[in-house]
Amino acid sequence: MEQGVVSCINDLSLEDLTGDSRMGLQQKEEYVEMKDVFSIKLKRRRFVGQQKGGLLLGIAIFVCLKKEGNKLKDSMITLNNLSEDHCHLWFRCLKEILNGFPNRPKSLKVFVNPSSHRKEATCIYYEQVAPLFKLADIRTDVTVTEYEGHAVALLKECDLTLFNGVVCVGGDGTASEVAHGLLLRAQIDAGRDRNDILEPTRAQIPLGIIPAGSTNILAHTLNGVQHVLTATLHIILGHLQSVDVCSFSSPSKLLRFGFSSMFGFGSRTLALAEKHRWMPSNQRKDFAVIKTLASLKPEDCELSFLPSTRLQQDVEENRQNQESLKCDSTDEWKRIQGHFLNVSIMAIPCLCSMAPRGLAPNTRLDDGSIALIVVRNTSRPEFVKHLKRYSSVKNQFSFPFIETYIVEEVKVHLRTQKENTTDNNLNSVDPEKRSYPWNIDGDLLEWASEIHVRVHPQLIKLYGENVNIVDNPKESCSCI
């Protein structure tokens, strides 16, 4: 039946959803695969105001087509036939084929963050996303969040068996919060202690991310592009990608699940930007970066990490091109300490428009590793050179003050002033009570001085398509 469909639509014309004629399909495609079809409708001619019935003209086939730069677009193909019997026969057969794709969602729980970026998330969802969900016959239950943590609270209580997936419309912070809520719910349903995160339970249902924030790193990394229509079509077509997740914990409890984190310059910049939410988004970010650079200072801390065991095979295969790559895969913890301007701990490459190669190009979405990137203290001009490299094709890590490691666990211990002096009378803040800013997927969180980060391979499935990232063969990475 599927082959019959393919041969019958060779000579059809291609139209978009607005009805504008496009180039004939035969000039661009020889066939349309059913895996790219996301909706089938009967096409009728109706009078103004007529809601039902009408003259049957044929069948409308809605298909997903690939564009340049990883983008997807939706188009409509019309099968003209005035026979009621023929149209209904084809309609039933085509619908049966579509219903046979196992990962395509039929019902979705949707969270919309109305405060994201320029407060455009609600408009983006109802004008660009919801019509396509309706066209694909996907039922939705929409919640417009009212406060931080609202999505997590609802995910702990709602009946997830009613849905095939969860969708969030917002920025990286919104996506991270919903992913955290899904994983917390998985631990609850499995009867696990939420603080027992050595081997957490995987999320029950997938998460879809509609980019409506300022940087949209998660959506960009997942799909290779920041594009609402592309993200929506990946959800409709049921494209799934397993993704690694980090757990962040104190010595006594789990603090957060997340995909990437920064401490130092990256977190201080975010903290300053959050204090100026009244400013326009782009101005706020530029102001925060300049202000933080003006008062640039390092943090005195100790990093302990467990090197990853996954790189040994990669090292052997790429030894000729990566002479500087060293890896001694053991189960022994390593330790470095000193004054660091920034520390990045990332389980995903973190692509965005400002860093097309990624903030952490040495890792992948599902390879079970963390990229630990350490920027030691240096002069302001040298640090600015490093930052500028992210937007270029040059290796942003080829500086003597930067160290990169591929690891499985990281322990961050911030050494306070008390620990670095023999003066017992020095009046400083109790390290147990002091908190430090962390940037977790664009969310600002205040945590204590000791944080343990673990990677959990393929802990959650996201709607999207894994994009291959081309490494710079000269890029150095060490896991000593």
Side-chain angles (χ1 to χ4, degrees), residues 280-300:
S281 177
N282 292 335
Q283 294 181 21
R284 181 172 69 243
K285 288 194 294 185
D286 292 343
F287 168 80
V289 168
I290 294 172
K291 191 77 172 178
T292 307
L293 281 173
S295 57
L296 188 66
K297 64 178 181 179
E299 292 287 352
D300 186 9

Side-chain angles (χ1 to χ4, degrees), residues 48 56 67 75 131 146 178 194 219 262 386 413 415:
V48 176
L56 184 61
K67 296 176 62 179
S75 295
E146 300 175 0
V178 174
R194 61 168 288 179
M262 284 189 286
H386 159 62
H413 175 65
R415 300 192 298 174

Side-chain angles (χ1 to χ4, degrees), residues 268 296-300 339-342 375-378:
R268 291 185 180 279
L296 188 66
K297 64 178 181 179
E299 292 287 352
D300 186 9
H339 291 82
F340 305 127
L341 291 176
N342 192 72
V375 182
R376 290 186 179 272
N377 193 22
T378 187

Side-chain angles (χ1 to χ4, degrees), residues 207-351:
L207 170 62
I209 303 171
I210 304 296
S214 55
T215 52
N216 302 298
I217 284 177
L218 288 171
H220 198 141
T221 304
L222 198 61
N223 302 318
V225 66
Q226 178 183 321
H227 192 233
V228 171
L229 180 57
T230 297
T232 304
L233 289 172
H234 279 309
I235 295 170
I236 292 172
L237 293 172
H239 296 161
L240 293 178
Q241 169 65 43
S242 296
V243 179
D244 300 336
V245 178
C246 289
S247 62
F248 301 84
S249 58
S250 69
S252 60
K253 65 178 182 178
L254 170 70
L255 300 172
R256 179 72 175 247
F257 287 108
F259 301 96
S260 65
S261 64
M262 284 189 286
F263 176 81
F265 177 80
S267 60
R268 291 185 180 279
T269 301
L270 178 62
L272 186 59
E274 288 297 311
K275 293 180 180 179
H276 295 79
R277 297 287 296 184
W278 52 270
M279 297 176 66
S281 177
N282 292 335
Q283 294 181 21
R284 181 172 69 243
K285 288 194 294 185
D286 292 343
F287 168 80
V289 168
I290 294 172
K291 191 77 172 178
T292 307
L293 281 173
S295 57
L296 188 66
K297 64 178 181 179
E299 292 287 352
D300 186 9
C301 64
E302 175 181 292
L303 302 175
S304 303
F305 56 89
L306 184 63
S308 173
T309 59
R310 76 158 177 92
L311 280 185
Q312 191 61 49
Q313 183 177 358
D314 294 343
V315 172
E316 296 299 329
E317 293 177 354
N318 298 289
R319 188 177 297 277
Q320 294 181 349
N321 293 329
Q322 300 184 18
E323 295 180 357
S324 61
L325 181 62
K326 300 178 295 180
C327 183
D328 179 19
S329 297
T330 69
D331 292 331
E332 297 182 2
W333 283 80
K334 309 297 181 183
R335 186 181 70 172
I336 58 175
Q337 60 185 17
H339 291 82
F340 305 127
L341 291 176
N342 192 72
V343 176
S344 299
I345 305 171
M346 299 177 170
I348 62 175
C350 295
L351 277 69

Side-chain angles (χ1 to χ4, degrees), residues 50-286:
Q50 185 179 359
Q51 299 296 324
K52 297 181 180 180
L55 177 63
L56 184 61
L57 301 177
I59 296 175
I61 300 177
F62 297 89
V63 62
C64 171
L65 299 177
K66 291 186 177 181
K67 296 176 62 179
E68 71 286 346
N70 298 311
K71 288 185 179 181
L72 302 178
K73 69 174 181 178
D74 57 301
S75 295
M76 184 180 74
I77 301 168
T78 302
L79 290 170
N80 294 316
N81 194 317
L82 299 180
S83 169
E84 290 263 357
D85 292 339
H86 285 170
C87 286
H88 284 286
L89 174 62
W90 279 96
F91 178 77
R92 287 195 300 269
C93 292
L94 293 174
K95 288 288 287 186
E96 184 178 348
I97 294 173
L98 290 189
N99 291 334
F101 293 105
N103 293 327
R104 297 193 177 187
K106 300 294 188 294
S107 178
L108 293 170
K109 176 64 185 176
V110 180
F111 292 100
V112 180
N113 181 0
S115 301
S116 289
H117 192 32
R118 299 174 181 173
K119 300 183 178 181
E120 297 174 343
T122 305
C123 180
I124 287 174
Y125 175 73
Y126 284 108
E127 292 186 5
Q128 300 182 49
V129 181
L132 284 172
F133 282 169
K134 183 179 180 180
L135 184 63
D137 298 319
I138 297 176
R139 301 183 302 276
T140 57
D141 180 52
V142 182
T143 297
V144 178
T145 56
E146 300 175 0
Y147 54 89
E148 184 178 351
H150 189 186
V152 174
L154 291 179
L155 284 170
K156 288 181 180 180
E157 300 175 354
C158 71
D159 186 0
L160 292 182
T161 61
L162 299 176
F163 308 106
N164 303 118
V166 173
V167 172
C168 63
V169 186
D172 291 318
T174 304
S176 180
E177 178 185 329
V178 174
H180 175 67
L182 278 173
L183 289 166
L184 282 184
R185 176 60 184 270
Q187 313 317 306
I188 294 172
D189 289 347
R192 303 281 296 274
D193 182 353
R194 61 168 288 179
N195 294 318
D196 178 17
I197 39 80
L198 290 177
E199 294 184 7
T201 302
R202 287 180 168 84
Q204 303 169 27
I205 55 179
L207 170 62
I209 303 171
I210 304 296
S214 55
T215 52
N216 302 298
I217 284 177
L218 288 171
H220 198 141
T221 304
L222 198 61
N223 302 318
V225 66
Q226 178 183 321
H227 192 233
V228 171
L229 180 57
T230 297
T232 304
L233 289 172
H234 279 309
I235 295 170
I236 292 172
L237 293 172
H239 296 161
L240 293 178
Q241 169 65 43
S242 296
V243 179
D244 300 336
V245 178
C246 289
S247 62
F248 301 84
S249 58
S250 69
S252 60
K253 65 178 182 178
L254 170 70
L255 300 172
R256 179 72 175 247
F257 287 108
F259 301 96
S260 65
S261 64
M262 284 189 286
F263 176 81
F265 177 80
S267 60
R268 291 185 180 279
T269 301
L270 178 62
L272 186 59
E274 288 297 311
K275 293 180 180 179
H276 295 79
R277 297 287 296 184
W278 52 270
M279 297 176 66
S281 177
N282 292 335
Q283 294 181 21
R284 181 172 69 243
K285 288 194 294 185
D286 292 343

